[in-house]
């Protein structure tokens, strides 16, 4: 959700913090603020974008070698200057920034009010600042111990950074359920803190991913990490696989468009070195290490949220079709609050771009408590989902900055396809010949997506025609039903046009009532065993004067006279067709949103990583 950046060292903090906030603005952009420590505490915060914060700091004193900043995605309290972070304690001596939700903040707040505290915002975060100071005053504990004591009273999730006027060489950070990474600078005593690595990579490639329940304390140029129970922890310093070029736009007008065009590379990187198409050999360590267990799996449950859930739906078709294992696909947010029936011979696979999705993490913890095996499919090295997993695979899509996920979806489908084939080989449900045919076709996918991207100019024309539509309907069957859902999600996320994805056959069970001459209907009608049935669905739409945009396999002109628009994409085997068919739908959504004047990289009300409920 929110973005956190902090710095302590010998450089001026403000430029580092503000640049970092710009790189984290995809995580939250309702308001932004900074706190700077240089003998005194100076706080500047403003509703709106980071640019609005920069405007109000023009000409102000922004000196100081210790500082922290925050971009907010509102949970408690509307977006305004008062609710923007940083927040301060009753005396103003402590300042705090926070990502997460303090679930028992109302109870804590009432107790603090009874002890004379008054509050200036509607946030749960301000309560935590007051609580820490209250503990210090009533117990005499030093700052770091007061933070630990206070956090033991907190129910909920948090990543926090704290500054104190009376402890000018201190910077304290802690996490539980929300990500926080520490960058170790080149100079002695120089440290960076952030919600993810994007603000840090410019300055250092050495990072420490804080674990749940850990507190990082910088004091007198030294970093100490302790547990919430005051036990010293030995940090694991690792090198980032991220570079600065990956998090810049590279000449594209938006990150989303850049990431759409990166998909040939991100798909290739996601399968590179993991199979030999000639021999049918599959080199996936997680599948090899758990081979005996995977042979005995009786049921597979894929969990995810949003686009990752759609990737899981494609995975359902892949695992059932290729590995012949029963599959269920669950919204993590629903799964975690049910009392699901789970067995030791179930395998749960959590799919997530960020690796920090709160609902998915909670669902994984539930499954582990019930004795099931838990795998992860994730894009961010060192994030919480891989650490919680028994095994799994990274997608290697590279950083995805645009809030609406594009390359993460196709990378997830690619990795799930590899896992499905690996399981099929273990279980004997695919022959070596079938595996080699599949792998050779997968190897060809990046080049076919390059060709699909050449449709961009044609799709711009389509976008002009339909940018003012009030509603869209997306239809698909089989492997391409999830693509219809994903196409609809992309459109509504970034253009704010109401859109629904449906199995094509289900149109007659309700949505057909909506169809008229004003309703654009996108139908995925590429080569498949369902093709003739999809054609029948198109005829039903045209009989009711709907406008049909058909995505068809290259060379298929059988629908030219029936539909209003044809998008020809390179043909592939049906099980890999979602990787290609999603490309024109992403481009259509992007161009419609741009023409409507929408902020495609930071759509309203959305954040990239949902780290709170």
């Amino acid at each position: 959700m929110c973005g956190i950046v902090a710095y302590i060292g010998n450089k001026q903090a403000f430029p580092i913090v503000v640049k970092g906030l710009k790189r984290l603005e995809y995580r939250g952009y309702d308001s932004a603020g900074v706190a700077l420590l240089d003998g005194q505490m100076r706080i500047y915060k403003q509703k709106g974008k980071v640019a609005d914060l920069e405007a109000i700091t023009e000409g102000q004193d922004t000196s100081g070698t210790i500082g922290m900043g925050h971009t907010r995605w509102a949970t408690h309290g509307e977006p305004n200057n008062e609710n923007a972070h940083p927040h301060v304690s009753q005396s103003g001596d402590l300042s705090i920034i926070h990502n997460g939700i303090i679930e028992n903040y109302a109870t804590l707040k009432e107790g603090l009010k009874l002890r004379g505290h008054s509050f200036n915002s509607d946030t749960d975060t301000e309560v935590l600042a007051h609580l820490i100071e209250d503990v210090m005053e009533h117990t005499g504990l030093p700052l770091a111990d007061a933070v630990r004591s206070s956090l033991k009273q907190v129910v909920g999730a948090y990543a926090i950074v704290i500054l104190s006027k009376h402890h000018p060489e201190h910077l304290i950070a802690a996490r539980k359920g929300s990500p926080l990474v520490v960058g170790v600078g080149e100079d002695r005593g120089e440290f960076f803190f952030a919600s993810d690595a994007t603000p840090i990579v410019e300055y250092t490639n050495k990072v420490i991913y804080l674990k749940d329940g850990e507190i990082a304390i910088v004091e007198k140029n030294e970093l100490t990490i302790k547990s919430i129970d005051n036990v010293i922890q030995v940090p694991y310093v690792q090198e980032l696989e991220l570079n600065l070029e990956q998090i810049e736009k590279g000449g594209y007008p938006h990150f989303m468009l850049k990431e759409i065009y990166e998909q040939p590379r991100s798909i290739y990187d996601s399968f590179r070195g993991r199979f030999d198409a000639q021999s049918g050999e599959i080199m996936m360590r997680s599948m090899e290490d758990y081979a005996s267990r995977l042979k005995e799996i009786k049921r597979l449950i894929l969990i995810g949220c949003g686009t990752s859930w759609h990737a899981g739906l494609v995975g359902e078709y892949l695992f059932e079709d290729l590995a012949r294992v029963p599959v269920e696909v669950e919204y993590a947010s629903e799964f975690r609050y049910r009392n699901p029936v789970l067995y030791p011979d179930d395998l749960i696979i959590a799919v997530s771009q960020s690796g920090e999705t709160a609902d998915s993490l909670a669902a994984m913890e539930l499954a582990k408590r019930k004795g099931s095996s838990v795998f992860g499919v994730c894009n961010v090295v060192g994030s919480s989902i891989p650490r919680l997993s028994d095994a799994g695979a990274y997608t290697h899509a590279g950083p995805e900055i645009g809030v609406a996920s594009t390359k993460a979806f196709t990378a997830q489908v690619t990795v799930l396809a590899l896992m499905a084939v690996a399981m099929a080989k273990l279980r004997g449900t695919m022959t070596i010949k079938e595996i080699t045919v599949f792998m050779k076709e997968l190897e060809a996918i990046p080049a076919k997506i390059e060709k699909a991207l050449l449709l961009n100019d044609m799709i711009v024309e389509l976008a002009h025609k339909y940018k003012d539509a009030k509603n869209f309907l997306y239809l698909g069957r089989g492997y391409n039903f999830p693509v219809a859902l994903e196409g609809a999600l992309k459109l509504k996320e970034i253009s704010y046009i109401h859109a629904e994805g449906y199995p094509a056959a289900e149109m007659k069970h309700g949505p057909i009532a909506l169809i008229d001459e004003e309703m654009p209907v996108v139908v995925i009608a590429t080569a498949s065993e369902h093709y003739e049935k999809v054609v029948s669905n198109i005829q039903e739409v045209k009989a009711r004067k709907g406008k049909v945009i058909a995505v068809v396999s290259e060379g298929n002109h059988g629908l030219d006279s029936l539909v209003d628009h044809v998008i020809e994409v390179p043909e592939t085997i049906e099980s890999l067709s979602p990787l290609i068919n999603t490309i024109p739908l992403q481009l259509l959504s992007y161009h419609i949103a741009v023409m409507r004047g929408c902020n495609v990289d930071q759509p309203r009300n959305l954040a990239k990583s949902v780290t709170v409920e």
Side-chain angles (χ1 to χ4, degrees):
M1 290 296 188
C2 308
I4 285 174
V5 185
Y7 174 79
I8 183 168
N10 298 314
K11 300 182 180 75
Q12 287 295 302
F14 182 75
I16 294 170
V17 169
V18 168
K19 185 182 285 187
L21 291 182
K22 288 178 179 177
R23 292 203 173 120
L24 286 179
E25 200 164 17
Y26 68 93
R27 296 181 67 98
Y29 35 89
D30 294 337
S31 59
V34 294
L36 303 165
L37 196 55
D38 186 21
Q40 59 177 319
M41 185 95 70
R42 289 183 302 281
I43 293 177
Y44 306 103
K45 54 186 186 175
Q46 181 68 27
K47 176 185 175 182
K49 308 284 188 182
V50 176
D52 298 307
L53 172 66
E54 284 187 292
I56 68 159
T57 57
E58 192 72 36
Q60 300 292 324
D61 184 357
T62 57
S63 59
T65 58
I66 305 174
M68 63 185 187
H70 187 269
T71 57
R72 183 171 184 248
W73 189 86
T75 54
H76 294 77
E78 66 180 71
N80 59 32
N81 293 350
E82 290 74 25
N83 290 329
H85 297 216
H87 290 286
V88 297
S89 59
Q90 179 79 4
S91 69
D93 291 343
L94 296 181
S95 178
I96 187 171
I97 53 178
H98 166 225
N99 180 17
I101 291 179
I102 308 301
E103 295 176 12
N104 62 334
Y105 86 100
T107 302
L108 295 171
K109 189 173 186 177
E110 286 306 310
L112 289 164
K113 282 181 176 179
L114 292 174
R115 295 195 292 277
H117 289 254
S118 57
F119 297 87
N120 298 311
S121 77
D122 301 315
T123 69
D124 53 338
T125 304
E126 187 185 9
V127 174
L128 186 51
H130 283 244
L131 177 64
I132 294 167
E133 184 171 82
D134 189 72
V135 169
M136 291 176 71
E137 289 176 351
H138 286 85
T139 64
L141 288 171
L143 177 60
D145 291 336
V147 171
R148 287 192 307 100
S149 177
S150 299
L151 292 179
K152 287 184 176 183
Q153 300 180 50
V154 164
V155 177
Y158 54 79
I160 59 171
V161 181
I162 298 161
L163 297 180
S164 168
K165 276 199 288 191
H166 298 306
H167 301 79
E169 294 184 352
H170 274 58
L171 187 148
I172 296 175
R175 73 151 286 182
K176 179 187 176 186
S178 288
L180 201 60
V181 60
V182 183
V184 181
E186 297 295 324
D187 300 330
R188 183 175 182 270
E190 183 178 56
F191 298 97
F192 305 82
F193 295 76
S195 300
D196 64 43
T198 52
I200 289 174
V201 66
E202 183 174 350
Y203 308 102
T204 182
N205 67 344
K206 296 177 181 177
V207 298
I208 301 164
Y209 291 95
L210 288 185
K211 299 174 184 176
D212 266 6
E214 287 187 337
I215 299 174
I217 304 158
V218 178
E219 182 180 11
K220 296 178 181 177
N221 297 323
E222 297 293 337
L223 172 69
T224 304
I225 297 178
K226 296 183 176 182
S227 71
I228 200 168
D229 295 317
N230 206 31
V231 177
I232 298 285
Q233 305 296 297
V234 179
Y236 171 57
V237 181
Q238 62 187 82
E239 289 194 6
L240 288 172
E241 297 179 1
L242 185 66
N243 61 62
L244 195 57
E245 182 182 348
Q246 290 177 296
I247 59 173
E248 301 293 346
K249 289 181 184 176
Y252 287 89
H254 300 96
F255 281 109
M256 183 180 178
L257 188 61
K258 174 179 181 252
E259 288 155 8
I260 290 172
Y261 274 84
E262 285 177 338
Q263 286 173 106
R265 180 71 196 190
S266 60
I267 289 172
Y268 174 75
D269 286 345
S270 293
F271 69 60
R272 177 168 50 94
R274 285 176 161 166
F275 67 87
D276 182 335
Q278 299 304 316
S279 67
E281 184 182 2
I282 301 165
M283 293 81 79
M284 296 188 77
R285 181 70 180 272
S286 58
M287 307 301 281
E288 294 166 10
D289 290 350
Y290 280 79
S292 59
R293 186 136 194 202
L294 292 174
K295 289 179 183 178
E296 305 303 321
I297 289 296
K298 297 294 190 296
R299 180 177 61 160
L300 174 62
I301 301 173
L302 290 153
I303 60 173
C305 302
T307 288
S308 296
W309 185 74
H310 295 160
L313 287 175
V314 179
E316 178 180 20
Y317 287 91
L318 287 163
F319 280 99
E320 287 194 343
D321 190 12
L322 306 180
R324 308 306 299 152
V325 60
V327 182
E328 296 175 16
V329 185
E330 297 271 5
Y331 284 113
S333 55
E334 289 296 316
F335 182 82
R336 65 178 291 195
Y337 287 114
R338 295 208 327 265
N339 185 20
V341 178
L342 294 173
Y343 301 101
D345 52 10
D346 287 339
L347 172 64
I348 283 74
I349 300 181
V351 184
S352 169
Q353 190 284 135
S354 68
E356 301 291 351
T357 309
D359 287 322
S360 295
L361 285 165
M364 292 171 71
E365 289 166 350
L366 171 63
K368 292 192 86 165
R369 287 196 303 271
K370 290 179 175 283
S372 300
S373 298
V374 177
F375 280 23
V377 172
C378 177
N379 191 39
V380 181
V381 175
S383 57
S384 297
I385 282 178
R387 292 206 301 266
L388 187 59
S389 300
D390 298 318
Y394 286 112
T395 53
H396 301 300
E400 189 178 63
I401 306 300
V403 167
S405 191
T406 51
K407 65 177 181 175
F409 173 74
T410 50
Q412 287 167 349
V413 170
T414 300
V415 169
L416 289 170
L418 287 171
M419 294 174 78
V421 174
M423 189 178 287
K425 186 176 183 181
L426 286 170
R427 297 167 72 92
T429 56
M430 288 180 78
T431 65
I432 292 298
K433 183 178 179 181
E434 288 170 332
I435 290 171
T436 56
V437 168
F438 186 95
M439 292 307 181
K440 285 176 183 177
E441 190 57 35
L442 181 57
E443 278 187 326
I445 290 293
K448 292 184 177 184
I449 289 180
E450 291 276 11
K451 194 171 182 182
L453 289 166
L454 297 176
L455 295 164
N456 183 68
D457 291 348
M458 172 202 172
I459 291 170
V460 169
E461 295 178 13
L462 273 180
H464 271 296
K465 187 174 289 287
Y466 292 108
K467 65 182 174 62
D468 296 318
K470 302 298 183 187
N471 301 281
F472 262 77
L473 185 62
Y474 289 72
L475 301 176
R477 279 182 181 256
Y479 278 95
N480 285 294
F481 161 51
V483 176
L485 291 174
E486 178 61 11
L489 177 62
K490 287 285 109 31
L491 187 69
K492 56 188 160 191
E493 277 183 315
I494 62 172
S495 72
Y496 318 139
I497 294 174
H498 174 255
E500 295 295 335
Y502 255 84
E506 287 297 303
M507 178 185 61
K508 295 189 290 293
H509 297 276
I512 200 167
L514 299 172
I515 293 172
D516 59 20
E517 60 272 14
E518 301 297 321
M519 171 72 86
V521 182
V522 179
V523 184
I524 302 157
T526 49
S528 74
E529 61 182 77
H530 309 294
Y531 175 75
E532 294 301 331
K533 293 187 180 297
V534 173
V535 173
S536 296
N537 297 137
I538 290 172
Q539 289 169 331
E540 290 164 350
V541 173
K542 291 307 297 177
R544 288 151 182 86
K545 300 183 180 180
K547 301 293 184 184
V548 175
I549 303 167
V551 180
V552 304
S553 298
E554 198 169 38
N556 177 10
H557 299 290
L559 297 180
D560 290 1
S561 61
L562 178 60
V563 303
D564 299 272
H565 311 279
V566 173
I567 301 173
E568 291 186 48
V569 297
E571 187 171 354
T572 186
I573 57 177
E574 186 177 1
S575 52
L576 294 176
S577 63
L579 293 171
I580 295 174
N581 295 344
T582 194
I583 303 299
L585 307 190
Q586 293 172 350
L587 288 169
L588 182 63
S589 299
Y590 169 79
H591 289 299
I592 286 176
V594 170
M595 291 172 191
R596 290 168 65 90
C598 302
N599 187 337
V600 296
D601 284 339
Q602 298 170 4
R604 69 188 182 202
N605 303 332
L606 295 177
K608 181 65 179 172
S609 176
V610 184
T611 58
V612 296
E613 288 189 66

